[in-house]
Amino acid sequence: MNFDLAASLPLIKPLAIAWVKEQEAVIFASGKGLNDYGLDLARRVGVLNAEKIRITFVTDLPRPTEPLLIQAMEKTGMLGPNMNGVTLGHGIYIRRSHDSIRLQTHEFRHVHQYETAGSIALYIPKYLEQILQFGYWDAPFEVDARNHEIVA
């Protein structure tokens, strides 16, 4: 049976929002705040509240356990083996083996996007709709994040 992402989107959105909020709380409990250089980088890519950012370095990015979210991720390629970071509100997971200024600033730009949207609950539906319409790589939020990467 083929998974219809578009038809499932109304069910996926609240599940995704809940998972992102849950993971942001996990990162806030275990993550580290930014040093002065990190704060400067975050501000350079537009983050307004850089002091709220927390990063947790992991071996592998966490994946939801909800079957519908797993199907959506597999369909879109999100959180696949080639992803090295994910931003969840002001929380960021980064794979230890791929940490770089470029990746951090990419993820910081996603923090800016969350801030601009106003909340996780407002950002996630827009992000998912972009992925559905354009695909992950060409989603405007992803293009914007890549355009703000700082290569050091």
Side-chain angles (χ1 to χ4, degrees), residues 71-109:
Q71 285 183 295
M73 287 181 355
E74 289 172 355
K75 181 81 170 183
T76 61
M78 292 178 62
L79 293 178
N82 295 325
M83 287 190 63
N84 297 312
V86 63
T87 299
L88 307 158
H90 281 86
I92 300 171
Y93 284 117
I94 292 181
R95 288 178 56 204
R96 281 184 196 94
S97 59
H98 289 81
D99 184 29
S100 68
I101 299 302
R102 183 177 188 168
L103 178 58
Q104 286 188 27
T105 54
H106 178 101
E107 300 305 331
F108 294 161
R109 185 62 179 184

XYZ file of all heavy atoms in Angstrom, residues 71-109:
310
model
N 6.364 6.900 8.692
C 6.023 6.797 7.266
C 6.284 8.114 6.551
O 6.828 8.133 5.446
C 4.562 6.390 7.083
C 4.280 4.942 7.375
C 2.837 4.612 7.097
O 1.931 5.125 7.751
N 2.619 3.754 6.110
N 5.900 9.217 7.171
C 6.108 10.527 6.553
C 7.597 10.819 6.389
O 8.029 11.335 5.349
C 5.444 11.619 7.393
N 8.383 10.478 7.394
C 9.828 10.704 7.310
C 10.449 9.862 6.203
O 11.299 10.343 5.459
C 10.497 10.384 8.643
C 10.232 11.407 9.700
S 11.033 11.054 11.276
C 11.774 9.490 11.075
N 10.033 8.626 6.114
C 10.574 7.756 5.068
C 10.194 8.267 3.683
O 10.996 8.228 2.756
C 10.097 6.322 5.285
C 10.760 5.686 6.490
C 10.183 4.332 6.871
O 9.177 3.895 6.257
O 10.738 3.717 7.803
N 8.979 8.768 3.543
C 8.503 9.276 2.254
C 9.281 10.525 1.833
O 9.587 10.702 0.666
C 7.003 9.581 2.351
C 6.374 10.095 1.102
C 6.061 8.975 0.158
C 5.208 9.471 -0.996
N 4.830 8.403 -1.900
N 9.620 11.376 2.789
C 10.276 12.648 2.478
C 11.792 12.600 2.597
O 12.480 13.505 2.136
C 9.772 13.760 3.418
O 10.093 13.406 4.770
C 8.276 13.991 3.266
N 12.323 11.584 3.254
C 13.761 11.512 3.486
C 14.218 12.289 4.700
O 15.417 12.408 4.960
N 13.288 12.825 5.456
C 13.654 13.567 6.663
C 14.204 12.618 7.724
O 13.733 11.507 7.875
C 12.441 14.313 7.216
C 11.975 15.438 6.317
S 10.519 16.264 6.968
C 11.164 16.902 8.500
N 15.193 13.088 8.440
C 15.870 12.347 9.500
C 16.457 11.039 8.992
O 16.624 10.088 9.739
C 14.936 12.097 10.697
C 14.522 13.330 11.482
C 13.578 12.949 12.604
C 15.716 14.083 12.028
N 16.784 11.026 7.723
C 17.421 9.862 7.133
C 18.898 9.806 7.487
O 19.426 10.677 8.178
N 19.595 8.805 6.991
C 21.000 8.611 7.348
C 21.927 9.727 6.853
O 23.027 9.871 7.378
C 21.351 7.273 6.690
C 20.347 7.099 5.616
C 19.104 7.783 6.088
N 21.483 10.530 5.898
C 22.321 11.613 5.382
C 22.101 12.936 6.103
O 22.770 13.918 5.800
C 22.097 11.788 3.882
C 22.550 10.574 3.108
O 23.537 9.936 3.478
N 21.834 10.234 2.066
N 21.156 12.962 7.031
C 20.923 14.199 7.792
C 21.855 14.221 8.991
O 22.020 13.220 9.681
C 19.468 14.303 8.226
C 18.541 14.638 7.068
S 16.879 15.055 7.606
C 17.187 16.529 8.569
N 22.439 15.379 9.225
C 23.433 15.504 10.290
C 23.013 16.428 11.415
O 23.708 16.532 12.423
C 24.762 15.965 9.693
C 25.295 14.945 8.724
O 25.333 13.763 9.041
N 25.676 15.379 7.543
N 21.899 17.119 11.239
C 21.395 17.995 12.272
C 19.905 18.194 12.098
O 19.373 18.012 10.999
N 19.244 18.551 13.181
C 17.823 18.870 13.119
C 17.529 19.905 14.200
O 18.045 19.827 15.319
C 16.933 17.613 13.279
C 17.100 16.960 14.625
C 15.479 17.939 12.998
N 16.734 20.891 13.808
C 16.367 21.970 14.717
C 14.932 21.778 15.158
O 14.040 21.568 14.329
C 16.539 23.336 14.029
O 17.913 23.481 13.665
C 16.139 24.476 14.936
N 14.720 21.881 16.447
C 13.404 21.666 17.046
C 13.135 22.843 17.974
O 13.506 22.810 19.152
C 13.396 20.325 17.773
C 13.860 19.158 16.876
C 14.351 17.989 17.693
C 12.766 18.751 15.923
N 12.563 23.908 17.428
C 12.391 25.136 18.188
C 13.746 25.781 18.417
O 14.494 26.038 17.486
N 14.098 26.006 19.675
C 15.426 26.532 20.019
C 16.395 25.409 20.383
O 17.513 25.671 20.818
C 15.332 27.539 21.168
C 14.865 28.893 20.731
N 13.546 29.224 20.635
C 15.557 29.981 20.338
C 13.437 30.472 20.212
N 14.631 30.960 20.021
N 15.959 24.172 20.212
C 16.812 23.023 20.482
C 17.358 22.452 19.185
O 16.657 22.391 18.179
N 18.602 22.032 19.237
C 19.259 21.492 18.042
C 19.981 20.204 18.412
O 20.710 20.149 19.406
C 20.285 22.494 17.468
C 19.608 23.804 17.081
C 21.027 21.888 16.270
C 20.579 24.926 16.719
N 19.768 19.179 17.593
C 20.580 17.963 17.657
C 21.579 18.036 16.519
O 21.208 18.359 15.378
C 19.736 16.705 17.427
C 18.885 16.257 18.573
C 17.496 16.225 18.464
C 19.463 15.803 19.762
C 16.702 15.767 19.502
C 18.662 15.350 20.808
C 17.285 15.342 20.661
O 16.508 14.891 21.699
N 22.837 17.715 16.819
C 23.877 17.634 15.788
C 24.628 16.328 15.980
O 25.019 15.984 17.115
C 24.840 18.835 15.856
C 24.096 20.110 15.444
C 26.073 18.603 14.969
C 24.931 21.362 15.451
N 24.811 15.610 14.885
C 25.607 14.385 14.947
C 27.063 14.769 15.200
O 27.644 15.568 14.464
C 25.464 13.589 13.652
C 24.090 12.950 13.524
C 23.887 12.198 12.246
N 24.904 11.180 12.070
C 25.250 10.702 10.885
N 24.678 11.150 9.778
N 26.166 9.762 10.786
N 27.634 14.187 16.241
C 29.013 14.500 16.650
C 29.993 14.419 15.484
O 30.869 15.258 15.337
C 29.479 13.522 17.725
C 28.975 13.806 19.082
C 29.573 12.832 20.106
N 28.801 12.873 21.315
C 27.799 12.047 21.589
N 27.472 11.090 20.766
N 27.137 12.166 22.723
N 29.841 13.404 14.675
C 30.801 13.161 13.594
C 30.709 14.173 12.459
O 31.560 14.178 11.578
C 30.592 11.754 13.032
O 29.267 11.609 12.541
N 29.708 15.044 12.484
C 29.524 15.991 11.385
C 29.420 17.446 11.849
O 29.007 18.310 11.090
C 28.281 15.618 10.580
C 28.484 14.369 9.785
N 28.360 13.115 10.337
C 28.820 14.195 8.495
C 28.603 12.209 9.410
N 28.893 12.828 8.293
N 29.807 17.721 13.081
C 29.719 19.083 13.598
C 30.633 20.014 12.807
O 31.773 19.676 12.504
C 30.103 19.108 15.078
C 29.926 20.479 15.694
O 29.046 21.238 15.234
O 30.678 20.802 16.633
N 30.100 21.165 12.445
C 30.877 22.191 11.748
C 30.170 23.529 11.905
O 28.981 23.578 12.239
C 31.008 21.850 10.257
O 29.747 21.958 9.616
N 30.894 24.597 11.653
C 30.292 25.932 11.664
C 29.200 26.005 10.605
O 28.129 26.573 10.835
C 31.367 27.025 11.420
C 32.420 26.984 12.524
C 30.729 28.400 11.281
C 31.895 27.179 13.928
N 29.472 25.414 9.468
C 28.480 25.431 8.388
C 27.163 24.773 8.838
O 26.077 25.327 8.635
C 29.050 24.714 7.167
C 28.138 24.729 5.981
C 28.811 24.059 4.804
N 28.018 24.245 3.612
C 28.441 23.983 2.403
N 29.664 23.529 2.206
N 27.666 24.162 1.366
N 27.250 23.597 9.449
C 26.042 22.907 9.909
C 25.368 23.693 11.027
O 24.143 23.853 11.034
C 26.376 21.488 10.371
C 25.205 20.666 10.925
C 24.080 20.535 9.903
C 25.693 19.295 11.377
N 26.162 24.193 11.963
C 25.555 24.953 13.056
C 24.816 26.181 12.539
O 23.693 26.449 12.966
C 26.617 25.367 14.076
C 27.082 24.216 14.932
C 27.983 24.652 16.071
O 27.906 25.781 16.550
N 28.832 23.753 16.518
N 25.413 26.925 11.605
C 24.730 28.128 11.111
C 23.500 27.768 10.287
O 22.505 28.509 10.298
C 25.682 29.042 10.318
O 26.329 28.303 9.275
C 26.729 29.667 11.239
N 23.539 26.638 9.604
C 22.344 26.158 8.895
C 21.217 25.931 9.912
O 20.088 26.404 9.715
C 22.672 24.855 8.154
C 21.508 24.256 7.438
N 21.328 24.398 6.081
C 20.465 23.500 7.872
C 20.219 23.769 5.725
N 19.689 23.204 6.801
N 21.544 25.240 10.984
C 20.539 24.954 12.007
C 20.111 26.232 12.732
O 18.936 26.399 13.057
C 21.042 23.890 12.983
C 21.380 22.553 12.345
C 20.267 21.916 11.517
O 19.069 22.146 11.815
O 20.583 21.177 10.564
N 21.043 27.143 12.968
C 20.674 28.422 13.589
C 19.661 29.178 12.730
O 18.765 29.841 13.240
C 21.902 29.307 13.815
C 22.903 28.800 14.810
C 24.199 29.292 14.805
C 22.586 27.831 15.758
C 25.151 28.850 15.719
C 23.529 27.369 16.682
C 24.814 27.886 16.653
N 19.823 29.090 11.414
C 18.868 29.775 10.535
C 17.476 29.176 10.695
O 16.470 29.891 10.615
C 19.340 29.723 9.080
C 18.468 30.519 8.143
C 18.444 32.006 8.487
N 17.603 32.731 7.550
C 17.436 34.032 7.534
N 18.077 34.796 8.425
N 16.652 34.593 6.655
